[in-house]
Amino acid sequence: MDKKQILKYFLIIFTLAVAFFSWFSIDRAINIPAASEWLAPIFWFSLLFVFLCLDSILIKNTNLLKIIYAVSFFASFIFVLRWQHILAILIAVLFAISASERIKNDLKSNIKISLWRALRLGRPFIVFSFAIVISSQYYFEVKKLGVEHAIPDFDVSKISRALVPKILSMANEAFKDSNDENMTVDEFILKIQSQSLEGKSIIEARGNVDRLIEEQGGKNLSPEQKETIKQEILKKIEKEKTNILETQNNLILEQGRKQFSDTAGFEVKGDEKFYDTISRIINERVNNYFKPGLSENNHSSAITALLALILFLTVMPLGSFLSPLWILFVKLIFHILVKSDMIRIIKVPKEVEMIE
């Protein structure tokens, strides 16, 4: 088997393998929604573009080329078993084959080979083929999963994080000058509970002790003796108060955490940052309000179609933007193949028609 045959089989096998992983990456990106998951399709479709272009340049059998293009796009059908998806694939295959023919015709009709010019003629058709099958696969997979799966979570945490302290300070004087971003949920609960008692208990205790001393014969004591007795009583009161307060705080915290957990819909342990917890609660409330409504909406198919259209309109300009880099990569591989003597460029006499 000569070098050309080895190269041809290599291109066929790798084109089909890359095509499978390209459509698999779309399936994975849809089923595992995350921004980073869409980087994999960009990588695989970049490779697929390169291999399809190399096939068009190096494989002379046009029928074999058509089969390679058809199988490459029909690999998407593995992930979406819908007859409507076949229509999208057929349209894409026709455009892709048209791209291949344009590339081949340009290479044959020009006196000097210019890969850049030939590939630029086929580029928009290949990108369009990618876009139509990607958006079709996206539409049918999302329709099966439910439109709420495709809608990204609304992140209002930054907005709520900025507004919550201001709203809280307007609602409660205790937080007017509070800018403690590290305040925990437990600290917030205790602050709310203690603010009404703050500064009162000591004053009331002193007044009560003074009256008690007077009633128990304090009139016969000197001011110094009264003060000594009062300080001792206040110390005992403060000690008892500390013990009672500790028990009371534990009960307050336990009840407060339970109320927070019930409101939030998730367990609150108390050591979480208060403002972050409130922002998370608001964020989840917003998403829980919008997303269930979408799944029950009678127009969910229209929403899915709109999302697929947005994806189509995203793939087209993205492909147009990246394709010059892909063409440069094709040229580099072609140059390496020529230098390694895997392929050769020869000059032949050629008859051309001219108008006299």
Side-chain angles (χ1 to χ4, degrees):
M1 190 181 293
D2 61 11
K3 293 180 181 178
K4 290 182 181 179
Q5 287 292 100
I6 294 172
L7 179 60
K8 182 176 75 172
Y9 290 128
F10 173 86
L11 286 174
I12 293 171
I13 292 170
F14 272 81
T15 300
L16 299 182
V18 168
F20 171 80
F21 283 108
S22 297
W23 304 117
F24 173 74
S25 67
I26 295 293
D27 177 76
R28 181 175 174 81
I30 294 168
N31 288 280
I32 308 175
S36 60
E37 289 299 329
W38 285 95
L39 295 176
I42 293 173
F43 168 78
W44 285 110
F45 279 97
S46 299
L47 279 183
L48 184 58
F49 180 94
V50 169
F51 274 101
L52 290 176
C53 288
L54 287 172
D55 292 339
S56 298
I57 295 167
L58 301 176
I59 296 176
K60 295 181 180 179
N61 189 324
T62 54
N63 289 328
L64 178 59
L65 260 180
K66 291 175 182 179
I67 293 172
I68 293 171
Y69 271 79
V71 174
S72 296
F73 284 93
F74 268 95
S76 173
F77 189 69
I78 297 171
F79 304 99
V80 180
L81 300 174
R82 298 287 293 269
W83 67 267
Q84 298 96 326
H85 187 51
I86 293 178
L87 295 178
I89 294 173
L90 287 173
I91 294 170
V93 169
L94 290 175
F95 274 91
I97 290 173
S98 176
S100 178
E101 290 174 349
R102 284 171 174 265
I103 293 170
K104 279 199 167 299
N105 290 337
D106 187 80
L107 291 173
K108 289 177 182 178
S109 61
N110 288 289
I111 296 174
K112 191 172 182 180
I113 292 174
S114 173
L115 291 182
W116 182 262
R117 182 178 59 246
L119 295 177
R120 284 190 64 189
L121 288 173
R123 174 187 65 178
F125 292 89
I126 297 177
V127 172
F128 177 80
S129 300
F130 287 166
I132 195 169
V133 181
I134 289 171
S135 56
S136 177
Q137 180 173 333
Y138 178 86
Y139 173 79
F140 288 112
E141 288 208 53
V142 168
K143 193 174 180 182
K144 180 179 66 176
L145 292 169
V147 68
E148 73 279 1
H149 184 85
I151 300 294
D153 287 337
F154 299 100
D155 187 4
V156 295
S157 57
K158 291 183 179 179
I159 299 173
S160 59
R161 182 65 185 79
L163 292 178
V164 166
K166 294 179 180 179
I167 295 171
L168 196 59
S169 63
M170 291 172 63
N172 195 309
E173 289 291 329
F175 296 92
K176 193 168 185 178
D177 300 320
S178 178
N179 295 314
D180 187 6
E181 294 188 357
N182 296 317
M183 180 174 60
T184 64
V185 172
D186 281 353
E187 289 171 347
F188 169 80
I189 295 170
L190 292 177
K191 189 164 188 174
I192 287 291
Q193 181 64 27
S194 63
Q195 67 162 11
S196 60
L197 303 174
E198 188 176 351
K200 295 180 181 179
S201 58
I202 297 298
I203 295 172
E204 290 176 356
R206 285 179 179 275
N208 291 334
V209 170
D210 287 336
R211 285 195 298 271
L212 181 63
I213 293 172
E214 291 294 327
E215 290 172 0
Q216 297 296 324
K219 295 178 181 180
N220 299 323
L221 298 175
S222 64
E224 291 80 8
Q225 290 174 324
K226 288 182 182 180
E227 185 62 29
T228 302
I229 293 170
K230 185 165 76 171
Q231 292 301 323
E232 289 177 358
I233 294 172
L234 285 173
K235 284 180 182 180
K236 290 180 180 179
I237 292 173
E238 193 63 32
K239 185 177 180 181
E240 290 299 323
K241 178 190 168 185
T242 302
N243 294 333
I244 294 170
L245 189 61
E246 185 176 348
T247 303
Q248 182 182 353
N249 285 346
N250 289 335
L251 292 172
I252 291 169
L253 289 174
E254 184 178 348
Q255 186 64 26
R257 291 168 193 158
K258 185 178 182 302
Q259 290 176 353
F260 257 96
S261 298
D262 292 341
T263 303
F266 54 84
E267 184 182 1
V268 176
K269 296 180 179 179
D271 57 352
E272 302 91 341
K273 290 183 180 179
F274 170 73
Y275 291 123
D276 291 345
T277 303
I278 294 297
S279 297
R280 180 182 169 187
I281 293 171
I282 294 171
N283 209 54
E284 291 192 4
R285 286 288 181 275
V286 170
N287 283 287
N288 290 338
Y289 177 80
F290 283 104
K291 296 186 89 173
L294 289 172
S295 61
E296 298 168 3
N297 197 323
N298 294 327
H299 303 289
S300 60
S301 293
I303 295 172
T304 307
L306 178 62
L307 293 172
L309 178 62
I310 292 171
L311 180 61
F312 176 85
L313 296 175
T314 302
V315 173
M316 284 296 294
L318 181 63
S320 299
F321 174 75
L322 293 175
S323 55
L325 297 176
W326 299 341
I327 292 173
L328 288 175
F329 194 58
V330 173
K331 289 184 66 177
L332 175 62
I333 294 174
F334 183 83
H335 180 73
I336 292 171
L337 292 174
V338 171
K339 288 295 183 181
S340 62
D341 203 32
M342 292 289 290
I343 57 174
R344 288 186 299 169
I345 298 175
I346 59 173
K347 294 181 180 180
V348 295
K350 188 175 183 180
E351 290 186 5
V352 296
E353 291 183 348
M354 295 183 67
I355 298 174
E356 192 173 51

